[in-house]
Each structure stands twice: as structure tokens, then as C-alpha cells.
Amino acid sequence: MTQSTFSGLRSFLQLPSALPKKKKPDIVIAGIPFDLGTSFRPGARFGPSAIRDISNMLLDGDNPVHRLDPCKEFSMVDIGDFDVVADSVERSLDLIYEQADNIKSHLVCMGGDHTITLSLLRALRKRHKKPISVVHFDAHVDTWSDSFGATYGHGTPFYYAYEGGYIDPKRSVQIGIRSPVSNEVMDYTQKDAGFHVITAEMVHRVNLDHVIAGIKRTVGDNPVYLTFDIDCIDPSQAPGTGTPEIGGLFTWQALAILNQLGTLNWVGMDLVEVCPAYDQAQITALAGATFIWTYLCLLASKNNK
Amino acid sequence: MTQSTFSGLRSFLQLPSALPKKKKPDIVIAGIPFDLGTSFRPGARFGPSAIRDISNMLLDGDNPVHRLDPCKEFSMVDIGDFDVVADSVERSLDLIYEQADNIKSHLVCMGGDHTITLSLLRALRKRHKKPISVVHFDAHVDTWSDSFGATYGHGTPFYYAYEGGYIDPKRSVQIGIRSPVSNEVMDYTQKDAGFHVITAEMVHRVNLDHVIAGIKRTVGDNPVYLTFDIDCIDPSQAPGTGTPEIGGLFTWQALAILNQLGTLNWVGMDLVEVCPAYDQAQITALAGATFIWTYLCLLASKNNK
Amino acid sequence: MTQSTFSGLRSFLQLPSALPKKKKPDIVIAGIPFDLGTSFRPGARFGPSAIRDISNMLLDGDNPVHRLDPCKEFSMVDIGDFDVVADSVERSLDLIYEQADNIKSHLVCMGGDHTITLSLLRALRKRHKKPISVVHFDAHVDTWSDSFGATYGHGTPFYYAYEGGYIDPKRSVQIGIRSPVSNEVMDYTQKDAGFHVITAEMVHRVNLDHVIAGIKRTVGDNPVYLTFDIDCIDPSQAPGTGTPEIGGLFTWQALAILNQLGTLNWVGMDLVEVCPAYDQAQITALAGATFIWTYLCLLASKNNK
Amino acid sequence: MTQSTFSGLRSFLQLPSALPKKKKPDIVIAGIPFDLGTSFRPGARFGPSAIRDISNMLLDGDNPVHRLDPCKEFSMVDIGDFDVVADSVERSLDLIYEQADNIKSHLVCMGGDHTITLSLLRALRKRHKKPISVVHFDAHVDTWSDSFGATYGHGTPFYYAYEGGYIDPKRSVQIGIRSPVSNEVMDYTQKDAGFHVITAEMVHRVNLDHVIAGIKRTVGDNPVYLTFDIDCIDPSQAPGTGTPEIGGLFTWQALAILNQLGTLNWVGMDLVEVCPAYDQAQITALAGATFIWTYLCLLASKNNK
Amino acid sequence: MTQSTFSGLRSFLQLPSALPKKKKPDIVIAGIPFDLGTSFRPGARFGPSAIRDISNMLLDGDNPVHRLDPCKEFSMVDIGDFDVVADSVERSLDLIYEQADNIKSHLVCMGGDHTITLSLLRALRKRHKKPISVVHFDAHVDTWSDSFGATYGHGTPFYYAYEGGYIDPKRSVQIGIRSPVSNEVMDYTQKDAGFHVITAEMVHRVNLDHVIAGIKRTVGDNPVYLTFDIDCIDPSQAPGTGTPEIGGLFTWQALAILNQLGTLNWVGMDLVEVCPAYDQAQITALAGATFIWTYLCLLASKNNK
Amino acid sequence: MTQSTFSGLRSFLQLPSALPKKKKPDIVIAGIPFDLGTSFRPGARFGPSAIRDISNMLLDGDNPVHRLDPCKEFSMVDIGDFDVVADSVERSLDLIYEQADNIKSHLVCMGGDHTITLSLLRALRKRHKKPISVVHFDAHVDTWSDSFGATYGHGTPFYYAYEGGYIDPKRSVQIGIRSPVSNEVMDYTQKDAGFHVITAEMVHRVNLDHVIAGIKRTVGDNPVYLTFDIDCIDPSQAPGTGTPEIGGLFTWQALAILNQLGTLNWVGMDLVEVCPAYDQAQITALAGATFIWTYLCLLASKNNK
């Protein structure tokens, strides 16, 4: 009797919450239901449960590009959700850092809003002992130095990650950028910090092979983190998000890019800003789940080589 | 650090899926994601996951009427979902019966459509060695002898439960009845089988204390099963269901009735026909979760006396 | 092989569009997809198709109160939709009048907005040769003398019906009234025209038997028309409408009232203001279909005596 | 040319944002788009804009109970939204207090979540120089001493308002209470603090005149504040809220109660927890707007006497 | 007086259900409201009524590519819905086969889930006396040999169609493929059966003219059936479906491909998996109706030559 | 204290409704809540309020292509909504013309349905003393000579604008065309009137630089008006509209085209057919607001040169 894809308790890909005999898993999945850093529509705190719920659809088969099932390649667990502090962005950031730091496996997180990435990068900086690269899918540069008067918010992680020495923007890429942004912040991003920015329009109008080659060239062999803000995707394909911007990437483009990046030196991932209250027919959550699944396939594909 | 109600993996009331050392729990919660018996809108297969998801809202506090938290009174588990057969109502019914029969704890099930109740009653009949009573909340009598040409469907469970000798209609009550129904089926229900039928209009127009007294008097001390079809509730308060009928019960009425039935000899419960694709803001799922929670409080309340 | 309730082309109750050999039917159902008279949210033009679609749910059984199936008692047809003029309220009113006047059967119409009732009453006035009574369910008195500068609109039908001598307000009742309304219009309605007004709060707080007796006493044996604006019902049970007002009637109350009015001298009915774009899970359309079905049962019930 | 109700820029009831020549208005309406205190679904920050948008529907007429239009009785303005701090509950509370304290007119606020009421009561305490009464409509007692680890949240305002000496619970009433709550918090509320608690079930089952008399007797002639959490209303009539509980009050009941409280010594009002992302057809926002409008009519009605 | 596109009873393109004098129509449209073969979200039983409802929008004009109106080129009828068996996939398949076999006109079916295509191909195999080609738009290969333990389901039609000798995969094409699928099933599809598979990514990245040429070359002049699973289209453009997969085809691409295939030897069509409960603003149903209309234009266009 | 983007009364971009001292603004924004010309789904009367509401998201930053903030380049006001006549298309058209004629600033209008453009072009014709060019984004040619029997409707503006001599079709462009349309109307549009028609498929399949060059060449230096019907955009990205057609333009394409047209001699703009009742997560309104904002940036960009 095979259970159908609509059946069962909902962890990510029906993963267990721990391995037998407390064995260390290869990969840990965790939710971070934090959205106090949101500037427009809150609600990404329900992102992890929405992604877990729909991930059931990915249980039945191999990835059609990589021709493998990551659940068969790795030992993986879904440990549930990180603790966060209900009334403080700063103390939540510290708490997220501590929890991430305590996980010794390869960590993949489901947000929550983008604020959380700062803490995740801080933990990786410590582990890898040098500034790491980021491949950053987003509609927004997220290098603002403040968030409508607050120090930290979902528009500030890469400002503080750069200023804190966690990341190396010159070996990092931002893809899908298209929001309103002050010229000062844009200049800071591209000139001062030195991010390689690929706008959404470029993805639409330039041959994707050039885009992919540019990413590979920029990142090189540096340890690299994938931070995927679902709002890089067009609002039609990802309506369930807090700060949508029109003219976005299509899911096929993001998949086509990611699927070619299997040779990079990946050290972790997050998928943020899925806000189910604005979703339609779970398509945003499905996109989020599929991008995480694709990342796991990238890791497995590299492993297999 | 206390986790908020929006946090965590989703089992019913965050219950574990098994007790340590395989101890037998007092109460077992299970989902039955079966909806092949549906005559109008299918989709109740997603009922269990929807009820689990919103049940988080009930974690934080005592029941305001019974002034207790059932999670502190019982050992309980949520074992996940029953297996069902994808293409056969009959074989699914057998399989559900077998799984229910194997569970030796007090069993509380989340449907799925109402067809499943037949198998659950069959298992209880075997255990209790006599026809049991049912308190049956529903817009429909569910005593049709066929389902649009099929033998079994979500309109037939009480026909076959009576014909099979699983239940004693003369000591059973149906509450909330109001759908179109042929005079033949209605006469069968009230005269041949002998159910005590309380229409929705009666609940609205008669003093609730009389309704409650009537239920108690009819059921007496017979072992009694609660089968709660969410479509007994008005479509405004339970839009997420497959065969809505206007003029339904209000949740406050169903709660007020249930809360007075703690002295009955309860032997099990199901909550069926939550169909999330038609729900709005999860209010139907919340109603379903609250009725199950209320039932657990009834049990605990009796236990405490 | 019985077709399920989700099957088949959608006419009201799957009625044919004409009888064999052009026989005159007892009852004609027609849609009037007109909403140019709407003052707030338009869209009632899709009311007829929404009501027809969900009316399938009422095919399978007898009415539980009247214990009969109106489709077995009468020859009935659903002739489809009246023609209307796309850019003119006035010419549409004339055209609706002409079409109604040409139908010699008992006519039941699905709006469309409430403007249309003026033409339907005009046709009935001509046929019955005297001012008729109306039983008018509504949140609004609809006796304004203009509609935001326009002559005719969905707030004006009973002003012009009274001024035109089509109706006799002193033998007519309005039920469910609760909207903002100028004191002048309210005085005109109750004092000048002389409608018997039963507010929504009265329905909630007074014994329903008194309400019913009051309606019967007021109408007497005058020919009487039922005009049912779905916004008399509370927005929770009828969200799909153009000018909702909180505090409305519940469907059980409207059903309980209607079900006692079988002895009146009914000469026609309309059900208006179902606006599907704002509906949830078709509950407003279902309410509309059920009220029409109930009216047909009233007629059949009287016939049977 | 009269503008229709769908037309115009959206302030509450189309009020201006200031009076000519900086005259002090009788009544000031303000939004407080704060929702960082939310424990389940955030999003009440969009409550003020949703209420303003639908308030247009109330422009055209007199209140049917009080037979007056408050816009003709008072000079009123809608000053827009209070400033709040993006990342701090505590500093937001201080800032809200300061802004409220600076407004010398009778202040009516649209939340935002219920946390804000603490600051509004603090300002009133200062002005009235003694603990004031509250008439508190809510599903929750909101007297928790912490919010999932945080000091302040939308479940804590009346704990701190009592502990801070802003309110006099013994002359205050809570109406609609029905959520899960620990016995400790419930005892604190009713016994230690001394609130007069009227549960939702009482409102459903007790004659409303007794409920109203109880409120009047409890409050007496003390200065009294109306704090209306929209979740006191049933989720079917107010789905657009963050922490719904089934079995709630109906809008007609809340209106019937409020409409009899015109003789109390009102000193201010808030309407909180409208969360548009979960609303359907704007019915929650319409309920919120109507309750505020009703409060303004109460004031006007008293004024007229 | 011209009726507007929102008016009238809803058959596909307002077609009659039979021709006068029982003349055999050129083309028969039929619904097949069957969804028991669904593996994830059921509800495609309402697909036919949803497609009929929105097809009204296509009444007013010529196809802009083919510059003709198919309703003027053919005699066509919409015969309503096929009978299906409520509780058995196998008996439904037989029944669908029999009904299809009895229709001697060119048949175009609206599903329902994809399971039905097996029976439709079986009828065509009988008529054409040899294995036919299929042009199969889909996100899934649908060549699984079982459906979560069941023999037949919506993932199995082409396995059984090939094994039964109904189709010739080597002269057939699958377009839009992108779902998780085991390597075994994929190898079976492409190598054993020999389908020409065009993945969604190929459609996005390869010049469409090459795609079109490949289809024409593969199919040649074999009798060819168009089976269009709406989930070939991206979930943003077709959210109303049961098993969505991101990265899908865009409607413009599917239209551009189809519009160039007018010279093929078409023998029938189905459009399946429209599931209205998950649709938004009827856009999925509109896509379905437009693809059927386009197919009719292809036929008419060939006819005209 | 900076207000967040979710805060404040909603005018377009938070613009004031008048300048101090009645100074003439450079640019006037106005809503025209008129939808009596709609042939399918009405509701565009709520377009202006929906666009204003979401325009808040564009407040914080420079346009990423033009690198400027139009609010800093121009004096602008949002004067609210034009008056319209509730029951007459013709008188509304006259009234709109008069109001537009009285505004001496550069006027940008938010519809409302497309009928209004006729009056706006009439006012511009008078001002510029010659037929002007239009750049017309739309799924429909809108050159029908009648609207389902009515003279004027949302499918007729360019017929009457051409026949009235307001526009010069030979120097005008239609982009995104793809709806059903009679061959007669299509021939009139392209041959008799002489519009340069760019179908949606051309935009998808031709290099955008060629499209842009074609527009510039056709328009030349004639005064040119931008009329943007949101249904030019694909229904997935603009579901909130009245007459959707599949296969539409993507927002990135429309933006890429517009962004290259800064050198044209722009004299005004409208954005029409946003119908919020069918929108999802406000993405249609956001698209509308972004296209208006982009137009303002075009003007500012030219100004700066």
C-alpha cells in the first residue's frame, strides 16, 4: 500500500526530525518563522509550514534534470522551527545565529523574512574563517543601511553582512534586481561593496548561458551561499510574498540558472519571503519547495561526481 | 524561550507520533485522507492536514468551559494518516476497518469524507459487542442506500451501519438535518431505523436545554460515538466543505450542546468533510479542530470526576 | 446510470428551455443579467449563471419542510436570459417590461440588480389590474427617488412602483431593513407610502411567529409578489452582493418565515443582487437558489391542498 | 452631480485631514498601523486603510437607529496614521502615547493590533486623572502578563493597564470572551483584577436586555473607553483578523448592545485587529467601519439630548 | 438587440445540445466530469462547467490568426456530460469508451482528469484500425504503470494506451514535460515506448520553429489526437489544476505551436485537468476554452484549404 | 521617524490634492471611476482606489532604469476622482471631457474602463489643434463601431476617436493585440484607419529592439498619448481585469518597451481596466501603478536632458 502525495504529517519531503541513534545527518532543514523585519506585508512566519505542506508533491520521483532523488543520496532531517523572540529583531538575530552555529551539518533554512540571512551568514563566516560568496536571487538589493528607521530589517542583511566582513561582494552576485532604490544605495551596492548585479531585465534579454557563465566566473571556488528571496520571481508566479515587484524572473529561468551551478562550492542555502496569506493555489510555496529541492539535487549531483 | 503558536511541525496539537518505549497512549488521533465517496465537491483528503495546521491555535491554555487542558490529562499521539486505496471505495473501507481495529486506544479520526465512518463503526461494534449509539451532527441524514449508483458513498454510512447491526438508531440522534431528501429516505430514517432527528430549524427555534435533554434521554448509558460532519454547521461558518446547505447550525450552538454531553459513555469520535479548497481564512478547519479539542475536554472532564 | 449532482449543462434545476410542442409551462424561470443600476459594486449580471450552476445541488430530493419536489408538481422551463440594453437603464427597463409582459406563465426571475423589479411589477400591475402587494426582503428600503443623480437605480424601484400605482405599500411588507438612510426617505417609506417595515433587529429579537403573523395580516389575500434582495441576508452568509450591510438576517430565519407563507396569493417572484465576484465557495448563489426553490415549493404546497 | 459611494480619495467617511484655520475638531480619527504585538497572523497594519476604503458605504444617510448623521453633528477630521517604530514594541508604545497625548480632541483610533490600547489608555489616564472604565469587546481577555516571552503583545494590554493604574477593572466589562486561556489568567482577570466578564455563550443564551443592564450598572458614570477587538465577532462575520475563535458574537448583537449604551460617559474608542489579508469581500472592514460609525452616532445622540 | 457575452445559458460557445431533425453534427463537444483518477488535488469534475461558463468570451469574433469563426464553418453541438460511475475507475473507463464509441462525429472532450484519455484513445483505435499518434501537452509523461497502488489513474493513460496498442509513441510527441519522475519511467517513455519528449525548458530555450518542425516530422500524416493537459501550462497561467509544476509553458507558446499544426491529420481532442476550485479569476478555464477553440479553428482552417 | 510604506492616507504616491496657494501643478493625477461601458465583467470603477492603495510601494526610491524619483522632478497633485453620471454613458463622456478640458496641467488618468479615453482624446485634440498619435497597449483593437447594441462602450473609443478626427492612426501603434475580432473590424483598423498593429505574438517572437524602433518610427515627433489597457498584459500578471485574453504581454516586455520611449513627445496618459474584484494579492493594481510611475519617469527623464 503506497501512501499518496496528499497523505501524511508534513515535514519537508516527509523527512524525520532526527536520525536514529542521534547520528549526525548530512543535511539539516529548518524553518525560521520570523517576520518582524518586514517593511510592507508581514506573514512570512507561515512560510515554513506552507513550504512543508506542498513539498509532498516532490516525493515521488527523480529530478528530471539531475536524474536523482536527493532523499536517496543524503541523510537528511527536518528539525522543525528555530526559536525566535516575539518582540525584538536584534535578540532574534542573536538567537538565530546561536542555533545555526550549533548545527554542524549542512544547513538549509526556510524563512521567514530576509532579515534572518544576516545571522546565517554570520555563522558561516565563523565556520569558514573567511568572507564567503553569495548567490543572491532577489528583486531588491537588500543593502539598505536601515529599515524605515530601524537598524535591522529585511532590506538590510547584505549591508551588515558586508560591513561585518561575513561576505565578499566582489565574488558575489545579485540576480533579479528591479525595485525602486535610491541611487545612493545602488552605487553603494555596485561600486563600494562591489556586487555583480544582474537585473531582471538582463535575465530576460541576455542569453542565459552568458548569465550563468558570469555567475560562475564571479564566484569562482570561494565557499558560496545561496540566498533565494522568492520575490526575485515575478508576482504572477510568486504572489505569496511581502514586497512584490513586477517584471520579475520566471521560474524556468531561475531553475535553468541554478541547474547549471552544480560545480560551485556550496556551503548552505536559505529560501525566504514566502508569505502564504497572499498566495494562490499554493503556487508560491510550491516554487519555494522546488527551489530547495533543486538545491539539494545540485549538492547530490556534485557528490555523485 | 517559548515557541509561538505559528511555530513548529504540524501534528494535531503538536502531539508526538508515538510515546516513548512504545507505551500505549490513552488516545490516538489519526487522519483518514479519503474522499472517493464524495457526491459533489471532492477535496476532503486534505482535511487532516488543514486541521492539524490550525490546531496550533489551541495549544495555549485551558478550555474556558471545562477549565482544563486535555493534553495534560491524557497521553495522546497523532499517528499520521491511515492508508487508503486510490481507486476503490470498497477496498478502502476494508483497509480503514483493519487499521482502526488494530488500534487499542480510544480513537479520534479526522476525515476525509463521511464514508469512512462505516468502517470506524464496524470496528467499534466488534469491540463493544453490541450496536452502539451515535450522536450524529450533519446537514444530511446519510441513510441513503446508494450513492448515485454506487454502493457506498458519503451519503450511505448510516444505512449500512444500521443494516449491518453496528448501531442502534433508536438510541441515536441526528442533529442539524436540513438537506433535500426523498420522503422515502426520510421515512426510513425516522420510522424504520428509528433515529431521533433534530432538524437545524429546531435547534434555532427550540430552547437548547430541551435539545440537550432529548439527546441525553435518547442515548442513555449506551456506548456512544460522536460523528461530526462539519456541514451540520452553516456554510458561513464552515464554507470549506463539499455539500453545503444553508440554514445550518451555528458553532456556538454545537459547542453549547457538546459541552453538556460530558456524562455520556463516549467510545470514539470522527470529524469529517473539512474540504480546505473551499475554506476562507481557515475558519472551517479551525471549527473542526475546536470540536475535536472540545471532545477531548469532555473525556477529560469525565475522567476528573 | 444516475448522473451525479456535479454533472450536466447548467439551467436552473436542469430544466429544459422549452416544453415539447410549445406547450405553455406552469412556471417560467428567466435570468435578467442587468446591473447598470448598481450604486456600489457592479457584477450582478453574472447572478443568473451563478445561481443556475449551483442549483444542481437541489436536484436530488424533496423539500424537507414541504415534503415535495416542485419539479414533479409543475411543468417548468428555464428560458435563459432576457435581453437588456448595454448603455441605458431606461431602455432596459422598457425592454424588460415587454419581455415579462409576453410571458403568460407564472414568472420567476433571477437578477441582476434590484432595478429590474420595477419593470416586473409594471407587468404584473397590468395583468392583475390593481396595485399588488409585495413581500420585500432587503437591507435597504429601495424607495429613494433617485440614484446618485440618476433617475432609476437599484435603490429606486419601490419609489417608482408606488408612484406608478403598481403596488399597494399599505398591504406590503419590507423585511431585513438596516442600512443608512436619510430620515426623509424613511418617513416617506413608512408614513407616506405606508410600508410595514420589519427591521433586521426585530427579526433577531422578536419571536418569529409574530413576524410571520404580521406579514400575513398586512398582505391578506391581495395578489402578492416576492422580491428577495439577497443583501437582506447577513454578509457572512451572502458575501457575494453589491451593497452589504452588517447585522443582517440569517438564512434560517428567512427560510422559516417563507415556509409559513404558503397560503398567500403569490403571483411572481424575483431574487436579485447575487454578485458572484465577491462570493466565497458559492454560498451566496446557493442561498439564492435555495430561496427560489423554496418559493416553488410554497406554490406546489398550496396547489396540493 | 452627486459622487457615488465608490468614488473619491479614501479617508474615513471622506473626512478632511484638517479643519480650516487649524480649528480644533470635536473628534479626531487616526490610524495606528502597528502589528508587531501579534501572536499568530500579522497584518493588522493594513487595518486602517481597509476600514477607510469601505467606510465610503456609510456616507449616504442617517443611522437607522439614532436617526442622525454624525458628520453633520460634529466637526471631525481623519489625520492619517500615527508614526510607529519598525523594530520595537516598547518604543512604539511610547511613541503612540506621545501622539495620543498631543491630541486634545476626542480621539477614535483604528488599529493595528490590540497592543496599542495600552498607550491610548495611558494617555486617557493622564487626562482624566483617575482610572477609567473600559467596555472591552473581545474573544480574549488580553490580561496575560507576557506574550510568548515578550513583555508586551496584543494579549497583554489590560494586564499592564490595570497594573499601571490606568483602568478600573471593577467598573469595566469584557464581552465576547471564549478563547483558550489558562485558569490562572482567568482567575486573575475575574478575581484579582475584577473584570465583569460576559462570555460569548452568555450573549447567545441570555436576554440581551440583561446583558446591557449589566454593562450599564458596572460602568456607572465613570469615564469609559470603548475598545473593540473585531475578533469578538464570529469568524464568519469577521474572517479578516489574526486570532479567530469560533462561537463568537454576531454583528447584530454587538450593534444591539452598543446602541443602548448612549448614556455612558464615553471618552474615546479604538477598533483593532482588522487584518485585511484574511478578509472576504471586505466584510470585516465593513463591520469595523460600522462599529466606529455607530460609536460616533452614540456620541451625537447624547449630544442631542 | 444583441446579447452581451455575459448573457445566456452556458453550453460551450452557446452551442445547441442537438441539431434539428437529429442531423449528425460535424463536431460533438462533450464533458467528462470524472476525477477519481486524481493523485493530488481532486476537483476536475467541475472542469466542463467552468470551461463552458467562460467560453462565452469567445463568441464575438474571428480567430485573429486563422481569421475565421469555427461556429460558422461546422455544424457543432455540445451534448452535455458523459455518464461516469461514482465509485469505480475501471467501470467508468468502460462506460466512457462506450459513449465515445457511439458518437460518430469528430469528438472533442472536456475533462475531467487525464485518466479518461485512455478510453477515448481506445475508441479511436477501433475506428481508425491502427495505432494513432498523439500530440500530448503535459507537465507529466503519464506513462506510469500504476497510480499509487491503483491500476489506472491520471498518471497512467499512455502506459496502457501504448501497451494496449492504441497509440504509436514513435510517431507521438510529449511537450512541456518537467515533473519529478523516476528514471525508470523516463527511460520507459523515451526508450522503450519511444515518445519524442520536448521538455518545458526546451520550449523556453529553443527556437519555436524547431519545436514545431520536430512535431510535424514525428507525427507525419498518421491520424493524430491532441490531448492537452492544462498543467503543461505554468501554474501562474493555469493555477486551477490538480498537480501543478513550476517552470511551465506559457500560453503564448502553446498557442504559437498549435497554430502551426493545422496540416496534421487530426482525429480528435481532449482538454483535461482544469480544476476550478484552485482557479483565480477563471484564467485557467479561459485558457482551456481558448485551446479548444483554437483546435476547432485548426480544423476549420484545414477544411477551408 | 520615517513612515513605512504601509502607512498613510492613500492618494497616488501620497501626493497632495492641491498645491499651496493654488499654484498650477506640472502634472495632475485623477481617477475616473466609470465602468458602464464594460462588456463582460464590470468593476473598473474601483480601479483608481486600488491603484492609489498599492502605489505606496513605489514611494521609497529612484526608478532603477531612469535613476530618478519623479516626485522630486515635478510638482504633482492627485485631485481625486472625476464626476461621472450614474446611468448614462453619453452624458458621462461629456462630463469627463469637460473636466479634462478644465485641467491645464499635464493630465494622467486612472480608469475606469476604456470608454473614457474617447473624452480624454477629445480634450487633447482641442488643446493641440490637430489629430494626435496614440501608443495603445491593449489585447483588443477597440475600434468596434458599437458595443453590443450600444453606441459607446469600452470596445469603441478608437473608432470614434478616429472618426471624430481626434487621432491620427497612421502615426499610432497598437501593441499586444490578440482577442477574437471580426475580420471586418480588423481590416478597418489596419487598412481603413491605418493603425500600426503589433500583436502579442510579435512581441514574444520578435526582437524587442525592432518593436521599439517600429513604434518610434511610426509616431515620430507628433504629440502622442499613452493609453494603457491593463489587459494587454497576460491574465497571469493582470488577473484583475474585465476582459482577459490569454497569450498576453509580460510586464517586463511592456516596461522594456516603455523605458525606451522617453524621447517621444508625450502629452498625456491613461491606465484603464484595472478591476480589483478579480485581482490576486493586488498584483494587477501594482502593475498599473508601476506603469504610471514609469510614464512619469519618462517625462522626468526627458525633462532632465
Side-chain angles (χ1 to χ4, degrees), chain E residues 235-265:
Chain E
S236 57
Q237 298 189 318
T241 197
T243 40
E245 312 282 350
I246 68 168
L249 263 58
F250 293 124
T251 49
W252 78 263
Q253 293 168 326
L255 284 175
I257 293 170
L258 270 182
N259 277 328
Q260 296 299 317
L261 298 179
T263 56
L264 297 189
N265 180 16

Side-chain angles (χ1 to χ4, degrees), chain E residues 160-210:
Chain E
Y160 292 105
Y162 171 52
E163 298 289 336
Y166 308 158
I167 60 171
D168 179 356
K170 287 173 188 61
R171 302 181 73 181
S172 295
V173 187
Q174 297 188 319
I175 311 156
I177 303 306
R178 65 192 183 276
S179 84
V181 55
S182 74
N183 294 334
E184 290 69 30
V185 168
M186 204 64 222
D187 287 345
Y188 172 85
T189 307
Q190 294 183 284
K191 296 178 187 165
D192 299 2
F195 279 97
H196 178 43
V197 173
I198 302 169
T199 66
E201 192 182 352
M202 286 179 200
V203 176
H204 289 304
R205 301 199 67 182
V206 171
N207 188 304
L208 273 193
D209 293 329
H210 295 181

